[in-house]
Amino acid sequence: MKNNEETDSQVLNGRTISMSKSITFFIISLVINSAGNVLTLVTSAQIHPSYLGSAYWTAAEANLAVAFGWNLFWTFLILGVVITILNAILVGHWSWRRALGNLVFMVPFSALIQIFEDFFLGKYPALFSGFPPAKTPFMIGFYILLNFLGVAMIGTAISIYQRVNLVLHPADDLMQILRFKYFKGNATTAMWASYIPPTLMAILAFAITRQFTNFGIGTIFAFLFQGGITGIADTKVFPHLKHQALDVGKD
């Protein structure tokens, strides 16, 4: 007998993997996503003038952090709460389990973002001295490839933890709701639609600072291809892992 929450919403399929496997996949994807996000930020910062940019959500949040004088931890955390509320509106009901899952994701994710940022900037010199500024065409090309790699890592990580569906980043929960409720499973279209909130964030930040940072060709690459990478990863990375207990609300 299903509980009220399951009865009132559309559960597309059940859970077919164990909790231990779910947690393992989640940890792997969380590390990949955090590292990929910071890799796009750091490589962008090391090319002057800055024209490379970072992943779309990351670029918008970084601009908002500058506008309000927040560090990345608080920026990612606060905006995550806002998107969690938006997701509840789209699904059509409030689920404490889902909201707490978003929060559970956000805390270690935000912390890992800060850790990887410190690492890639060379704040742990005994381990890594940081990426030097790009002063040659070779280094610029190398950083562009690393930036694109960071975007691919993000798209791949999204694919993994969306399929696990244990807990999700609010932005990726938004994309998954849009994907399966409104866009018939199309990852690319759903990703583009999910970029509306960060676009509004960037406009607000620009209104305050009158400048864009972390937007560039890497951001364009992320906008065009990150959703497609997620869709490809669904079938190529851990291909036997299927979407688990998918709940996107009523049709």
Side-chain angles (χ1 to χ4, degrees), residues 73 105 148 216:
F73 175 86
F105 186 104
F148 290 177

Side-chain angles (χ1 to χ4, degrees), residues 198-226:
T199 300
L200 296 177
M201 294 177 200
I203 292 172
L204 175 60
F206 179 76
I208 296 172
T209 64
R210 292 290 189 259
Q211 64 180 8
F212 276 128
T213 58
N214 294 307
F215 280 91
I217 60 174
T219 316
I220 295 172
F221 178 83
F223 182 87
L224 293 176
F225 299 112
Q226 186 171 302

Side-chain angles (χ1 to χ4, degrees), residues 36-37 40-41 53-60 147 150-151 154 214 218-219 222 226:
N37 268 287
T40 64
L41 283 171
S54 59
Y56 202 83
W57 274 92
T58 310
N147 189 281
V151 172
I154 297 168
N214 294 307
T219 316
Q226 186 171 302

Side-chain angles (χ1 to χ4, degrees), residues 172-193:
D172 300 320
D173 199 9
L174 170 63
M175 181 263 192
Q176 181 155 269
I177 292 167
L178 294 171
R179 178 181 180 183
F180 290 103
K181 187 172 184 177
Y182 299 104
F183 297 111
K184 301 179 180 180
N186 189 302
T188 301
T189 306
M191 185 70 77
W192 287 339

Side-chain angles (χ1 to χ4, degrees), residues 66-187:
V66 172
F68 287 100
W70 299 338
N71 64 27
L72 288 179
F73 175 86
W74 286 110
T75 305
F76 278 66
L77 191 60
I78 292 170
L79 295 177
V81 172
V82 174
I83 300 302
T84 296
I85 296 171
L86 173 61
N87 292 343
I89 294 172
L90 292 175
V91 171
H93 63 84
W94 178 264
S95 168
W96 280 108
R97 181 178 63 182
R98 191 173 204 142
L100 290 174
N102 290 161
L103 182 61
V104 166
F105 186 104
M106 286 302 302
V107 173
F109 176 70
S110 300
L112 281 171
I113 286 286
Q114 199 67 56
I115 290 170
F116 276 114
E117 182 185 39
D118 291 343
F119 175 77
F120 286 137
L121 290 178
K123 294 185 179 179
Y124 306 112
L127 298 175
F128 180 62
S129 58
F131 289 110
K135 296 181 178 179
T136 66
F138 173 80
M139 288 298 294
I140 292 173
F142 178 62
Y143 281 0
I144 290 174
L145 290 178
L146 281 182
N147 189 281
F148 290 177
L149 174 63
V151 172
M153 290 169 66
I154 297 168
T156 300
I158 291 171
S159 167
I160 298 169
Y161 59 64
Q162 277 189 342
R163 282 178 285 159
V164 171
N165 202 28
L166 189 60
V167 293
L168 294 174
H169 185 289
D172 300 320
D173 199 9
L174 170 63
M175 181 263 192
Q176 181 155 269
I177 292 167
L178 294 171
R179 178 181 180 183
F180 290 103
K181 187 172 184 177
Y182 299 104
F183 297 111
K184 301 179 180 180
N186 189 302

Side-chain angles (χ1 to χ4, degrees), residues 8-51:
D8 292 338
S9 60
Q10 181 184 7
V11 180
L12 301 182
N13 57 282
R15 188 165 292 281
T16 60
I17 61 175
S18 67
M19 183 56 65
S20 61
K21 286 185 178 180
S22 296
I23 293 173
T24 300
F25 281 126
F26 171 70
I27 292 173
I28 292 171
S29 61
L30 188 66
V31 172
I32 294 173
N33 195 4
S34 304
N37 268 287
V38 177
L39 196 59
T40 64
L41 283 171
V42 172
T43 52
S44 175
Q46 297 306 320
I47 294 180
H48 302 287
S50 181
Y51 58 80

